[in-house]
Amino acid sequence: MCKQMIDFLTIPPSIRTEYWKESLRKNKISLHVICIIIFGAEVFNIFRVLFLSHSGLGTRNNRIYFGMYCALIAIAVLALVLQHVVRKAERSLQWAVQYGSILLIFLWHVCLNAYDLTRDPAAEFTIFVTAVLGIAIFIQMPSLFSAACLGTGYALFLALAGDALESGEKVNLTITWVVALAISFTSSHHAVISLSQRREINQINAQLRRLLQKDPLTGLLNKKAAQTCVEQKLAQVSEGRPVALYMIDLDDFKKANDGYGHPCGDYVLMETAWKLRIIFPEAAGIGRIGGDEFTVVLTDVTDRRKLEQLGHQLIREISKISWKNQRLNISCSIGICLINQPKTPYEQAYRRADRCLYEAKWQGKGCCRLCEIPPASWEAKQSDAPPGKQPRPLILISKNQE
């Protein structure tokens, strides 16, 4: 029971930041409304003292009321000004200003009602009741602060006006105070539940989004997510910050898949994904974009030799894949496109990397080819070479022809 009560009154650390943020937002609106009401009510009260009272400011009692009305207006103005000044400050400072203003307004009502009762014992304590219930209903605050704020007001009211209250009135006052505490505690707990549920829903949605981006077999990015990743990295390309795009295709995968069955094929794909993660631990994205086709995107890599070394390392690792202690003789062909040109479209980078991939296949599979955007000098020389000295034409091989 004690643990349940503690859980009811405390704010879990996981949502504490969201709780303070939500409380600041709600209370800001409530304080603005309260200040507008204060301006209207106290301006009328000042007008009533000055012009509707026969004695005006000639009596001590009217001067006290006039001073208290002016003081409340000053508190409201100060609260609005300070809220505006600290609107971009740390949340702790915003919280201090907000709850300090609330406490001052509440204590003002306590003092006014206590003065009414000491001046006229027949007066009611409706001002205190209205203030304590208004704070409990319209102001969201943690249980500890609520108990401190309402408890301070209750104790101060009894200290100032307790002698003017009968025992029955004190009981009713105490019941009202307890009800206000219960309302405030429940309101705070309801906010905690709402924020916890919202956080849980956001986590579930984030997990679903991640799952929608994953290839179910390998756990890599799927085709759409991989393309999005590449597009984001291409948008960040600048001088000295290139992006490298790998296109990887397993050679003779169909033979292994047909010869040993689909479990073997799935195993090869999962092993390939695992090896990609090992060889490219700092990759910005690794994806499976087809049956046996994969892509890797690297950022801030300018060393062509390193890019090719990583490709050859992957080829060696893929060749080691075995099924039930039997080597499958699988290899892979790799095309690499190093993009140095800002604002390069995804389609252009994809076509260049794909062309390099099939040039590698044309060379005999198990090979790695690299190109650049914009073209490096050696590529430009090849394209400008005289007839008879140009590279052999590219032959595109479909999956069914492998």
Side-chain angles (χ1 to χ4, degrees), residues 202-216 219-222 225:
N202 290 338
Q203 289 176 341
I204 292 173
N205 288 337
Q207 185 177 2
L208 289 174
R209 284 193 295 269
R210 287 193 296 269
L211 289 174
L212 289 173
Q213 294 177 347
K214 297 292 185 180
D215 172 61
L220 302 177
L221 296 176
N222 58 30

Side-chain angles (χ1 to χ4, degrees), residues 18 45 93 109 126-127 183 201 224 243-244 253 285 323 376 382:
E18 289 84 354
N45 285 331
L93 181 58
H109 284 83
T126 53
I127 294 177
I183 292 173
I201 291 171
K224 182 175 178 58
V243 164
F253 172 75
W323 171 254
Q382 282 187 328

